Amino acid sequence: MRIIVLLLVLGMFGCSSGDRIGTGEFTSFRDGVLSLYFEDTERKPPRLDTRRDVESTAPYPTEIPGHYGRSWTLLKASSEDTFMGYVIVSWHDENPLDYLALGWWVHFPGQRYPDLNIWQDDVFTHIFLDGPELNPEKQPKFPVKGAASYHGTAGGTFDYFYGENWGDAKGKDSHDEYEAAVTLTADFGEGTIGGCIGCEGDIVIKSQHLQSLIDTIETGATIERRVDPKDYEVHFAPTKFNHHGVFESEEGVSVTHPERIGQTTYYGSWAGNISNRNDSAGNPRLVAGGNIVVFTEEDGSFGRFAGLFSALSEDFRK
């Protein structure tokens, strides 16, 4: 099954983007094992799966009714480079073929585990999502007009590089796991979807699923976090979705903060898919996706929110 891909090449002094959709990645979920395959993908990693390449695993509190959830962190290292990954799978216990998979993998070219530098300019991240109800071969039946609201959870890594105003922390960085509420609105008449992470409640630091990955990327320049993400918000301007329910954009993705003067969103992108299954009110029952946004501040500090989100319709949530 083909999946959406959000690709970011991130460096300390620049970033660029690659193919966003249909880069030849597929997943399968059998006997509790998720496998991720790669075909004709530039700088593709070897096959990854949640049995052979697992670093840690834990139950995941999926919000989808009738589903069970689990998360895995993955690691595949060689003498030439390193691949790290994170996968969440939500599945129906009586029908494991009914599953939703979200995750990402990071390629550290030329870097050998455990000496990894996330800020090196050729490090890049793929965010992916897959599952039968995101299958583009089965087109969603969208309402011809009206809107639907979606609410769910977003989470990922909050990385911060400290600039001039941070005293002895200058030139160092911190890496933490964040969690927040995501709120989205789909306008079916306009064919758009937009929303926010952190507008309802705060973005909070909550170490629960990604600690093994964070421990891996921490270096001698890593310090304990000194900046609180709670007043940051990640905004997604209304973005067009196609007849498959797929959306992606590098425009209108921004980070705001009520007190940070001179803050600028340096790069932002988001992508996702609207479910091809409807709730009892006739609206798509969920939206899933990923986001990466880099922001800079006037003292030379910069930060990054990179993560995943899933949100359920009001009717499906009930």
Side-chain angles (χ1 to χ4, degrees):
M1 188 177 298
R2 195 166 296 275
I3 61 180
I4 294 177
V5 174
L6 176 65
L7 168 64
L8 172 69
V9 182
L10 171 64
M12 186 172 295
F13 301 107
C15 59
S16 61
S17 62
D19 291 339
R20 300 291 171 150
I21 304 294
T23 58
E25 300 183 51
F26 301 81
T27 70
S28 67
F29 186 62
R30 296 187 179 92
D31 300 324
V33 177
L34 183 87
S35 298
L36 182 58
Y37 306 86
F38 304 85
E39 296 182 0
D40 300 325
T41 304
E42 183 181 2
R43 295 183 296 185
K44 64 183 180 182
R47 169 180 166 176
L48 299 173
D49 72 49
T50 59
R51 174 182 53 199
R52 182 186 56 206
D53 305 310
V54 62
E55 273 287 287
S56 63
T57 183
Y60 186 85
T62 178
E63 297 177 309
I64 299 177
H67 273 217
Y68 292 84
R70 194 156 194 88
S71 68
W72 292 265
T73 58
L74 308 175
L75 176 67
K76 184 179 289 291
S78 71
S79 60
E80 298 179 353
D81 52 12
T82 301
F83 293 92
M84 293 168 50
Y86 176 65
V87 177
I88 300 167
V89 181
S90 172
W91 72 94
H92 196 292
D93 195 46
E94 297 181 359
N95 179 19
L97 295 179
D98 176 12
Y99 73 93
L100 176 67
L102 300 90
W104 69 77
W105 55 267
V106 185
H107 184 199
F108 296 84
Q111 298 190 45
R112 299 178 63 177
Y113 176 81
D115 298 320
L116 304 177
N117 178 9
I118 192 71
W119 301 112
Q120 189 167 302
D121 59 9
D122 58 353
V123 172
F124 67 101
T125 302
H126 283 271
I127 291 179
F128 65 86
L129 50 149
D130 191 20
E133 65 183 285
L134 304 182
N135 188 344
E137 296 177 359
K138 183 179 180 181
Q139 295 185 17
K141 296 180 179 179
F142 297 126
V144 296
K145 60 181 180 179
S149 298
Y150 295 84
H151 184 283
T153 302
T157 59
F158 172 56
D159 307 300
Y160 196 87
F161 179 87
Y162 295 88
E164 294 288 343
N165 295 343
W166 289 97
D168 61 352
K170 176 185 173 182
K172 299 180 180 180
D173 51 27
S174 60
H175 308 277
D176 293 277
E177 182 178 3
Y178 75 87
E179 183 179 280
V182 58
T183 50
L184 303 171
T185 299
D187 186 322
F188 299 109
E190 296 293 329
T192 62
I193 186 167
C196 180
I197 293 173
C199 289
E200 181 179 305
D202 294 323
I203 298 177
V204 299
I205 298 300
K206 191 172 184 180
S207 299
Q208 48 186 353
H209 303 290
L210 299 176
Q211 193 57 51
S212 63
L213 292 185
I214 291 171
D215 290 344
T216 300
I217 64 176
E218 289 183 344
T219 67
T222 300
I223 62 172
E224 186 176 346
R225 177 182 48 84
R226 300 191 184 183
V227 61
D228 194 334
K230 74 179 185 68
D231 290 325
Y232 288 101
E233 296 174 352
V234 181
H235 294 266
F236 308 115
T239 299
K240 287 286 187 178
F241 56 82
N242 65 19
H243 60 283
H244 294 299
V246 174
F247 58 91
E248 58 170 342
S249 181
E250 294 182 17
E251 299 180 356
V253 180
S254 61
V255 173
T256 63
H257 191 285
E259 298 175 356
R260 302 282 184 183
I261 306 299
Q263 182 192 75
T264 302
T265 300
Y266 179 68
Y267 175 86
S269 60
W270 77 315
N273 204 341
I274 301 172
S275 173
N276 59 32
R277 297 179 62 180
N278 287 355
D279 60 23
S280 60
N283 297 316
R285 71 178 195 170
L286 65 82
V287 180
N291 60 273
I292 303 176
V293 58
V294 181
F295 61 93
T296 63
E297 297 178 336
E298 64 178 355
D299 70 337
S301 299
F302 57 90
R304 180 180 78 152
F305 289 101
L308 309 168
F309 60 81
S310 63
L312 309 184
S313 69
E314 292 181 2
D315 184 76
F316 187 40
R317 181 174 292 277
K318 292 178 183 178

